[in-house]
Amino acid sequence: MKRHTLISRAAWLLFAQTVSLQALAAAPGAPLTGTVTDTQGHALENATVSLQDANGHTLAQTHTGHDGTFAVPGVQPGTYAVTVDAKGFGASTSIATVDTGAPPSLKVALEPGSTMDVNVQAQRLNTARNGLQPDIGASVYHFSQADIQNLPQGASTPVNQVLLQAPGVANDSYGQVHVRGDHADLQYRINGIVIPEPISGFGQSLDTRIIDQVNLITGALPAQYGYRTAGIVDITTKSGDTGNGGSIDVYGGSHQTLQTSADVYGSQGPLSYFFTGSLGVNNLGIEAPTSDPNPLHDHTRQGNAFGYVSYLINPLTRISVMAGTAANQFELPNTPGLQPQYTFNGQTSFNSANLNETQSELNNFAVLALQGTNGGALDYQVALFTRYTRTQFNPDEIGDLMFNGVASNDFRSNQAEGIQTDTTFRLNDAHTLRAGFMAQQEHAVFNDSVAVFPADANGNQTSDIPMTINDSGSKTGYLYSAYLQDEWKLTPKLTLNYGLRYDGMNEYVSASQLSPRVGLVYQPTNATTLHAGYARYFTPPDFQLVSAGTITRFNGTTNQSEVTADSPVQPERDHYFDIGITQRLTPSLTVGLDAYYKIASNLLDLGQFGTALIYTPFNYQYGHVYGVELTGNYKQGNVSAYLNFAFSRAQGKNVTSAQFNFDAAELAYISDNWVFLDHDQRVTMSMGGAYDFGQNTFTADAMVGSGLRSGFANTDKLPWYGQLNLAVIHHFNEPVIGKFDARVVLINAFNSVYELRDGSGIGVQAPQYGPQRAIYAGVTKLF
């Protein structure tokens, strides 16, 4: 389908549907009438008019007369698709809702052409899908494809760094982000469907290039959101609904970085598609453990692929398939000059610069979804999903034994599959009902081969000959949930969204909870929006990270735990309160203020307690998190800018599970004192902007943080830090070559040297420094 034909036809049909094709009303058995013309208003004779139900079945068919009029007799109350087709013109489909009133005449204008137009139908279904997930009472931050392109690195910006441009998102090492004082706890949705989280690792599991729009939803969430509730990363993917095209991108520079990517999209009849893939290598795969800008042994190879295909079964129903994969290989960077702590087979020296630890990660997912609407009261989506993820850590056996007294070859995998349904029913003008359920099964496997030295009761090495202890197991677990809620328009300016959600789990522990949710939105003027909400949350621990290994297996070795208690990890239960206001000060400037407070029981946190980057969940008996966020956005002509400020405080008390990961002194202190969570950052700021000047775009973004926690029981914190990134983009349109963009990027323009982690604190084993100054360049060719 030609792009200009598709877009122009879509624009006309959207206009016609909005202005001319209003909801119809007809008495039972009365004729449905209308007129068919071309875009100049000339009557079209012998055009075929078909009436279809929500299942795509043709109920009646007629033809227009010489004056372009038609009548379909005996139409019963209901919602129908009216398809009009004429030789030499593109087909048009509109939605007619028939009840017992007097019917106005349907007016249809056909665009010249002969290709079936699917854009309007796809857009109608996209709107219906978005309506399944309201954000009444929550805080929502939007990033469009254009916003992402205006970041210094554009589509080469990792997803975690895109999210850092939202308020209340704190940066951490290994690509982690923390929203509103929670450790990760993010739920990723693609086109409204939950994608189960992978095993934690160094690489990103999703590529920014798939994104058409991404929303970060936080606060007091409506009832359809559960399990992971610190933030909902809601991604709408690119598709082929808007025409045919594609791009090729090459990006590289410092640290021997080279990344290539390509995508293609389009549609043919009722079928549309989007495919993308990327491959990349560089020598800064993981944050450096020292202030050296070129860390030793830090090479990475990363690849991503994603595909989305949808097929319109009829104007009101479509089926779609999407699948993605991320395969990443990492070297763990080395710190030179370390002194061995143990003797291996008579060997007492080892150059720490020559350690060879590696980690490989794989994440695959696939979704099959059926989505539809009757064009009036009912929207629905039913999806089957599956995800497989695995992580393999390979130690340097001799080196790890000599420096750590343990060399653990760690394997983790998790297979998840499930079903998710969401429905929306518009009861009347005042009430919109939403309901749905989800069920998920997971099977987790862990297999660790651990080399250790024999040791006495005080942990002192008693032999320099290591022994190997195998620690493995598997477990199947289940999650299930259901929700029901009502969006009630109390007045034209006041909306109440209230509902109930039930969550249950049967994993290492069995638990459930019935959770009320309520949100209120008040718009006293078009420029002012106030919202407030309360949510009860139920958050299971990451099933794939909880292992059932036996701690006592390592008694009498250099891997023996000082504390042997290992109580099971429990789900977190919260009371969450949120209130905020958004004010449009001028047509160009909007500001917002939001405050939140969370009271937690069995507060969940994650810690890295071993040499592998595999996090272990644990509970604090008590927890509270609170904060405030201030946002500002400006857009006027060729200038856009944003500024976010967030204050947060996150604390816990008394570790009640997985206690063996702590030493006795720290555990005792936490039992009697409130401590800061290791991802607590008191102040977080992000800002940026873009300026278009002729064929050039100048862009910048920056982040500032007061530092994450460190020291004994997180009683200390790291210094303030900041990073500024700059870029210039030139938009070319040359003969023969056509359109393409070239950009030059300067990362950390002021070469600020700062630590994200210093290797101390709860569950943090190694220092990690932020990136130092680097220069990259890229070229993107559009087709």
Side-chain angles (χ1 to χ4, degrees), residues 42-256:
H42 302 130
L44 294 181
E45 184 179 1
N46 204 35
T48 301
V49 180
S50 301
L51 194 69
Q52 297 176 335
D53 63 14
N55 295 319
H57 299 142
T58 299
L59 304 178
Q61 190 174 86
T62 188
H63 295 83
T64 58
H66 66 87
D67 57 355
T69 62
F70 67 87
V72 181
V75 179
Q76 301 298 317
T79 300
Y80 303 94
V82 180
T83 300
V84 181
D85 194 8
K87 185 177 181 180
F89 292 83
S92 171
T93 301
S94 58
I95 300 301
T97 300
V98 179
D99 54 30
T100 57
S105 180
L106 179 66
K107 296 180 180 180
V108 179
L110 297 184
E111 180 85 6
S114 59
T115 305
M116 176 184 176
D117 189 352
V118 299
N119 182 46
V120 174
Q121 300 165 12
Q123 186 59 44
R124 180 188 305 117
L125 289 166
N126 289 342
T127 302
R129 181 177 62 201
N130 294 340
L132 295 169
Q133 302 181 80
D135 45 47
I136 302 298
S139 300
V140 187
Y141 306 100
H142 306 278
F143 300 93
S144 68
Q145 186 180 162
D147 295 329
I148 293 172
Q149 289 296 335
N150 278 338
L151 294 174
Q153 297 189 81
S156 296
T157 309
V159 171
N160 65 304
Q161 294 182 29
V162 173
L163 298 177
L164 286 174
Q165 311 313 309
V169 183
N171 190 29
D172 202 346
S173 55
Y174 307 148
Q176 297 181 92
V177 294
H178 308 298
V179 177
R180 290 192 167 188
D182 273 291
H183 192 131
D185 193 28
L186 295 177
Q187 178 183 129
Y188 288 82
R189 292 187 174 218
I190 300 181
N191 295 335
I193 301 162
V194 176
I195 306 299
E197 65 270 25
I199 297 173
S200 56
F202 300 118
Q204 298 293 301
S205 58
L206 296 173
D207 190 346
T208 304
R209 289 173 179 80
I210 75 173
I211 296 173
D212 183 61
Q213 178 167 307
V214 57
N215 300 329
L216 177 63
I217 309 171
T218 64
L221 302 174
Q224 73 266 39
Y225 299 117
Y227 294 124
R228 302 287 170 254
T229 52
I232 309 299
V233 182
D234 185 22
I235 295 172
T236 301
T237 66
K238 299 174 184 177
S239 69
D241 296 334
T242 57
N244 301 319
S247 67
I248 296 177
D249 181 90
V250 179
Y251 182 80
S254 298
H255 306 291
Q256 298 185 27

Side-chain angles (χ1 to χ4, degrees), residues 376-379 424-434 485-488 498:
L378 178 67
D379 303 328
T424 294
F425 183 73
R426 297 167 187 84
L427 188 62
N428 50 45
D429 290 340
H431 292 274
T432 299
L433 304 179
R434 293 181 173 89
Q485 63 186 8
D486 177 24
E487 181 181 329
W488 182 8
Y498 62 98

Side-chain angles (χ1 to χ4, degrees), residues 273-618:
Y273 57 88
F274 169 74
F275 298 100
T276 184
S278 65
L279 291 171
V281 296
N282 66 72
N283 287 337
L284 189 62
I286 303 172
E287 289 84 1
T290 69
S291 58
D292 189 335
N294 297 299
L296 300 172
H297 194 260
D298 201 5
H299 185 72
T300 180
R301 302 189 307 274
Q302 302 181 42
N304 290 273
F306 176 82
Y308 172 80
V309 178
S310 68
Y311 183 83
L312 283 166
I313 300 174
N314 59 58
L316 303 179
T317 311
R318 72 176 166 192
I319 189 169
S320 62
V321 177
M322 62 180 172
T325 184
N328 306 312
Q329 304 283 336
F330 294 93
E331 294 177 343
L332 274 67
N334 296 332
T335 303
L338 299 179
Q339 296 301 313
Q341 303 299 308
Y342 300 89
T343 300
F344 175 83
N345 198 21
Q347 181 179 340
T348 59
S349 63
F350 193 104
N351 187 351
S352 60
N354 295 331
L355 283 167
N356 185 28
E357 298 174 329
T358 63
Q359 183 158 305
S360 61
E361 303 164 4
L362 177 67
N363 180 47
N364 298 330
F365 69 89
V367 174
L368 173 66
L370 178 68
Q371 188 236 332
T373 177
N374 66 5
L378 178 67
D379 303 328
Y380 65 89
Q381 181 164 264
V382 180
L384 301 174
F385 59 83
T386 182
R387 189 264 292 128
Y388 175 77
T389 178
R390 73 165 186 254
T391 298
Q392 173 72 56
F393 173 75
N394 304 301
D396 184 314
E397 184 166 345
I398 296 176
D400 283 11
L401 279 167
M402 295 187 68
F403 288 104
N404 304 315
V406 55
S408 182
N409 190 307
D410 298 325
F411 174 84
R412 297 284 188 278
S413 73
N414 185 273
Q415 174 75 45
E417 50 270 321
I419 183 172
Q420 175 188 337
T421 68
D422 298 281
T423 59
T424 294
F425 183 73
R426 297 167 187 84
L427 188 62
N428 50 45
D429 290 340
H431 292 274
T432 299
L433 304 179
R434 293 181 173 89
F437 73 89
M438 188 183 80
Q440 176 178 307
Q441 174 186 279
E442 295 185 78
H443 182 71
V445 175
F446 72 95
N447 190 350
D448 303 333
S449 179
V450 187
V452 292
F453 293 117
D456 60 23
N458 296 319
N460 299 313
Q461 181 180 5
T462 59
S463 171
D464 62 359
I465 305 299
M467 59 182 180
T468 299
I469 299 174
N470 293 316
D471 192 20
S472 61
S474 64
K475 178 73 173 178
T476 300
Y478 303 90
L479 299 175
Y480 41 92
S481 64
Y483 69 89
L484 176 65
Q485 63 186 8
D486 177 24
E487 181 181 329
W488 182 8
K489 293 186 180 299
L490 299 169
T491 72
K493 296 182 178 181
L494 184 63
T495 301
L496 173 68
N497 194 75
Y498 62 98
L500 284 173
R501 179 182 180 90
Y502 176 79
D503 293 303
M505 59 177 290
N506 183 7
E507 297 182 332
Y508 286 97
V509 299
S510 296
S512 62
Q513 179 174 291
L514 185 64
S515 305
R517 308 280 181 89
V518 59
L520 195 66
V521 176
Y522 177 54
Q523 291 183 289
T525 70
N526 291 333
T528 305
T529 302
L530 297 98
H531 74 265
Y534 163 78
R536 184 86 165 110
Y537 288 149
F538 175 87
T539 305
D542 293 300
F543 179 66
Q544 67 272 22
L545 300 182
V546 180
S547 64
T550 304
I551 305 306
T552 56
R553 292 188 184 188
F554 297 99
N555 289 348
T557 74
T558 48
N559 195 40
Q560 179 176 327
S561 299
E562 183 179 351
V563 176
T564 58
D566 185 19
S567 302
V569 184
Q570 301 291 331
E572 179 180 325
R573 303 173 190 266
D574 304 324
H575 296 280
Y576 197 102
F577 306 88
D578 182 273
I579 187 170
I581 181 173
T582 301
Q583 178 68 46
R584 190 173 68 249
L585 299 178
T586 72
S588 304
L589 178 62
T590 301
V591 297
L593 181 66
D594 203 280
Y596 59 91
Y597 188 84
K598 181 176 83 169
I599 304 170
S601 298
N602 291 324
L603 174 68
L604 280 169
D605 200 359
L606 298 173
Q608 180 199 351
F609 296 102
T611 54
L613 181 64
I614 298 175
Y615 284 91
T616 300
F618 62 93

